[in-house]
Amino acid sequence: MDQILGQVLRNAVWERLDMLADLADRADAQSLVSVARSELPRLTEGWRAMLSAHEPDERGDCPTCSTRWHRCKAPCSVWQVAHEHLVAGGLAPQQPLRRPWRRKNSSVPSQSRSTKTASETTGRHALVPQGAR
């Protein structure tokens, strides 16, 4: 059950990111301003919450990425990705952003993020094959 709930949660987040990326690619100027005003504060608060969970402790370790047996020194990969996308990315030459941040593998192996299934285009990510419903 936890695996299904986790998949539903991940799919909802990927759908939201897809929708925002599509808006950035296709929306008119007035729509972009409206979306920016509503979504930028939410996105920045999300980054802040995630990064605060990865703040180094007194030993310089990331408490979220570290385990009992393996300590992860700061800056962890979350801080490195944040810097790359929020700071250094602004300095790099602009390239089309066609979702290079996609997850490397999915818990649903038959689904590829590069090709949309019929269920994805309607906003539902199927946990079972389309024909099995």
Side-chain angles (χ1 to χ4, degrees), residues 47-79:
W47 272 105
R48 289 174 203 264
M50 183 171 46
L51 292 172
S52 64
H54 291 268
E55 278 289 322
D57 62 17
E58 63 279 351
R59 293 179 303 226
D61 297 331
C62 173
T64 305
C65 295
S66 296
T67 67
R68 182 182 218 182
W69 298 276
H70 173 72
R71 306 308 301 168
C72 179
K73 284 291 182 197
C76 68
S77 61
V78 171
W79 273 98

Side-chain angles (χ1 to χ4, degrees), residues 15-133:
E15 282 183 12
R16 183 68 170 194
L17 291 172
D18 288 344
M19 185 267 306
L20 291 171
D22 289 341
L23 276 172
D25 288 343
R26 300 183 187 143
D28 59 89
Q30 185 176 357
S31 297
L32 283 175
V33 169
S34 176
V35 169
R37 284 193 177 129
S38 66
E39 294 298 324
L40 281 175
R42 292 177 63 186
L43 291 171
T44 55
E45 281 306 306
W47 272 105
R48 289 174 203 264
M50 183 171 46
L51 292 172
S52 64
H54 291 268
E55 278 289 322
D57 62 17
E58 63 279 351
R59 293 179 303 226
D61 297 331
C62 173
T64 305
C65 295
S66 296
T67 67
R68 182 182 218 182
W69 298 276
H70 173 72
R71 306 308 301 168
C72 179
K73 284 291 182 197
C76 68
S77 61
V78 171
W79 273 98
Q80 292 171 19
V81 168
H83 183 268
E84 178 183 331
H85 288 279
L86 297 173
V87 179
L91 303 175
Q94 293 298 315
Q95 299 174 11
L97 291 178
R98 287 315 319 164
R99 296 155 185 78
W101 53 86
R102 284 292 192 209
R103 56 189 158 172
K104 291 181 179 138
N105 56 18
S106 171
S107 62
V108 181
S110 63
Q111 277 187 335
S112 167
R113 296 304 302 174
S114 61
T115 59
K116 298 237 182 209
T117 64
S119 63
E120 286 178 306
T121 58
T122 62
R124 295 184 317 258
H125 286 279
L127 295 175
V128 290
Q130 191 76 18
R133 290 186 208 190

